[in-house]
Amino acid sequence: MTKPRVLVTCPPMLGLFDEFREDFEAAGLEGVPAKTTQILSEDELIQQLPEYDAWIIGDDPASRRVLDGAKGGKLRAAVKWGVGVDNVDFAAFQDHDIPVENTPGVFGGEVADVALTYTLGLARETYRIDREIRLNNGWPKPSGISMTGRTVALVGFGDIGRQTAKRLLACGSKVIAYDPYFKPADGIEVESADWPSRLDEADFLVFTCPLTPDTRGMFNEDLLSKLKPGVRVVNVARGPVIEEAALLKGLRDGTVYSAALDVFEVEPLAPDNPLREFDQCIFGSHNGSNSADAVRRVSRIAIGKIAGFLAPR
């Protein structure tokens, strides 16, 4: 009997794929790694998906066009690897009677580690020092700023936001949380405010929120006048939360001292993107959740969900 075939397009899972072959085998599935380093296009997915019974989705466009284009194929189930679901059209899956779920609440600590790393890197300019030494034979000694007594505006107080707040509080910083669904968390002493009030108090602006119609473009040109001059910006959420044109304006006029971005409006970051002009900034590769420990844990959850969807009823 032929095993159900599962297309895997999630880059972190692909990076450790050989480790999961036994898990697929034990679940009675055949896992197939896609040839991609970030995402497959809609056209590529339309071409490939009809040959598979299930799909473990990365940040690919899991859109209505993709599902309509793959209509008539084998696809019977899907799992969005990870937390973010802004690339998944759940209504389209429902219309095609294809069950789909994500893996919620799995990366809070990992992404929060990166958020803190970026925040400290902007505060003490450690990344900039490293680049100057490695690339220019320099020996710079920027003063930086201390975290103790600084105020952080934290946008999003879900799992990632709460974990980020814990780490920032351990540094002696004050945290103001912005979340329309804010709920106090035991042992995490933060203040809550309505967006965009009190941003003129913040030395750091850290985004850990999901991408929704309300959060898309929430960092925009109108916001610049509300910020404390010289604010440092961190984004480990989704690229479109920040309008890059507004961020560039802020960097150029000094409203924003520096930024650390794990995500961008368009990924990968284009070679001619003007953000590259700013040496004080830090850039990532949409890799905040990618620790080997987390990848193993979440990938096995995803395989288990797929096996459950495909099990005989």
Side-chain angles (χ1 to χ4, degrees), residues 155-179:
V155 185
F157 201 64
D159 184 32
I160 295 171
R162 290 191 294 271
Q163 295 287 349
T164 301
K166 287 170 62 175
R167 287 155 173 76
L168 292 167
L169 291 168
C171 294
S173 303
K174 181 173 79 172
V175 176
I176 303 173
Y178 297 84
D179 192 317

Side-chain angles (χ1 to χ4, degrees), residues 158-237:
D159 184 32
I160 295 171
R162 290 191 294 271
Q163 295 287 349
T164 301
K166 287 170 62 175
R167 287 155 173 76
L168 292 167
L169 291 168
C171 294
S173 303
K174 181 173 79 172
V175 176
I176 303 173
Y178 297 84
D179 192 317
Y181 306 104
F182 176 86
K183 292 182 180 179
D186 291 342
I188 306 177
E189 298 296 328
V190 306
E191 301 176 26
S192 175
D194 294 327
W195 182 263
S197 65
R198 301 183 64 186
L199 288 179
D200 58 342
E201 301 175 30
D203 303 286
F204 295 87
L205 176 55
V206 179
F207 290 94
T208 64
C209 54
L211 180 63
T212 68
D214 290 330
T215 63
R216 182 180 292 272
M218 66 189 306
F219 186 105
N220 52 45
E221 190 168 338
D222 291 340
L223 191 73
L224 295 176
S225 63
K226 299 177 175 65
L227 300 174
K228 182 177 182 178
V231 68
R232 290 158 167 83
V233 177
V234 174
N235 188 8
V236 294

Side-chain angles (χ1 to χ4, degrees), residues 5-305:
R5 302 178 75 219
V6 183
L7 179 66
V8 178
T9 61
C10 172
M13 189 173 178
L14 293 173
L16 296 175
F17 194 83
D18 285 343
E19 294 191 20
F20 307 123
R21 294 186 187 278
E22 290 185 5
D23 296 276
F24 279 111
E25 182 73 21
L29 305 170
E30 179 188 353
V32 181
K35 295 179 180 179
T36 180
T37 57
Q38 186 62 41
I39 65 171
L40 293 180
S41 68
E42 287 188 329
D43 289 341
E44 289 171 321
L45 289 165
I46 289 168
Q47 183 179 26
Q48 296 181 39
L49 273 178
E51 302 301 317
Y52 293 91
D53 300 274
W55 178 20
I56 297 180
I57 308 165
D59 290 319
D60 319 86
S63 64
R64 183 173 295 276
R65 178 172 178 258
V66 166
L67 294 181
D68 289 347
K71 188 176 181 180
K74 299 179 180 179
L75 192 67
R76 295 184 282 143
V79 170
K80 169 60 175 71
W81 192 98
V83 178
V85 294
D86 51 278
N87 60 311
V88 179
D89 188 334
F90 285 93
F93 276 89
Q94 184 175 13
D95 291 344
H96 284 275
D97 198 26
I98 298 173
V100 61
E101 292 181 359
N102 69 333
T103 55
V106 291
F107 291 132
E110 284 76 18
V111 180
D113 287 345
V114 173
L116 178 64
T117 299
Y118 283 165
T119 303
L120 294 174
L122 293 182
R124 299 302 303 273
E125 302 191 35
T126 49
Y127 291 76
R128 190 177 186 180
I129 293 169
D130 175 78
R131 286 195 295 266
E132 284 296 313
I133 292 172
R134 289 177 181 272
L135 302 178
N136 299 322
N137 295 317
W139 197 248
K141 293 183 179 289
S143 296
I145 61 173
S146 301
M147 292 299 299
T148 301
R150 298 288 176 174
T151 298
V152 180
L154 180 64
V155 185
F157 201 64
D159 184 32
I160 295 171
R162 290 191 294 271
Q163 295 287 349
T164 301
K166 287 170 62 175
R167 287 155 173 76
L168 292 167
L169 291 168
C171 294
S173 303
K174 181 173 79 172
V175 176
I176 303 173
Y178 297 84
D179 192 317
Y181 306 104
F182 176 86
K183 292 182 180 179
D186 291 342
I188 306 177
E189 298 296 328
V190 306
E191 301 176 26
S192 175
D194 294 327
W195 182 263
S197 65
R198 301 183 64 186
L199 288 179
D200 58 342
E201 301 175 30
D203 303 286
F204 295 87
L205 176 55
V206 179
F207 290 94
T208 64
C209 54
L211 180 63
T212 68
D214 290 330
T215 63
R216 182 180 292 272
M218 66 189 306
F219 186 105
N220 52 45
E221 190 168 338
D222 291 340
L223 191 73
L224 295 176
S225 63
K226 299 177 175 65
L227 300 174
K228 182 177 182 178
V231 68
R232 290 158 167 83
V233 177
V234 174
N235 188 8
V236 294
R238 284 290 189 266
V241 167
I242 292 178
E243 292 183 0
E244 289 180 9
L247 179 60
L248 284 164
K249 185 176 188 301
L251 287 165
R252 286 169 176 152
D253 67 20
T255 302
V256 177
Y257 179 80
S258 58
L261 309 174
D262 193 54
V263 288
F264 301 87
E265 286 184 316
V266 177
E267 298 174 357
L269 187 66
D272 61 350
N273 189 305
L275 285 168
R276 294 178 181 272
E277 300 169 11
F278 298 91
D279 292 339
Q280 71 271 36
C281 292
I282 302 168
F283 301 137
S285 58
H286 198 151
N287 201 47
S289 61
N290 191 11
S291 77
D293 308 276
V295 170
R296 292 183 181 105
R297 183 175 69 246
V298 178
S299 297
R300 288 176 175 128
I301 291 172
I303 293 168
K305 284 177 175 280

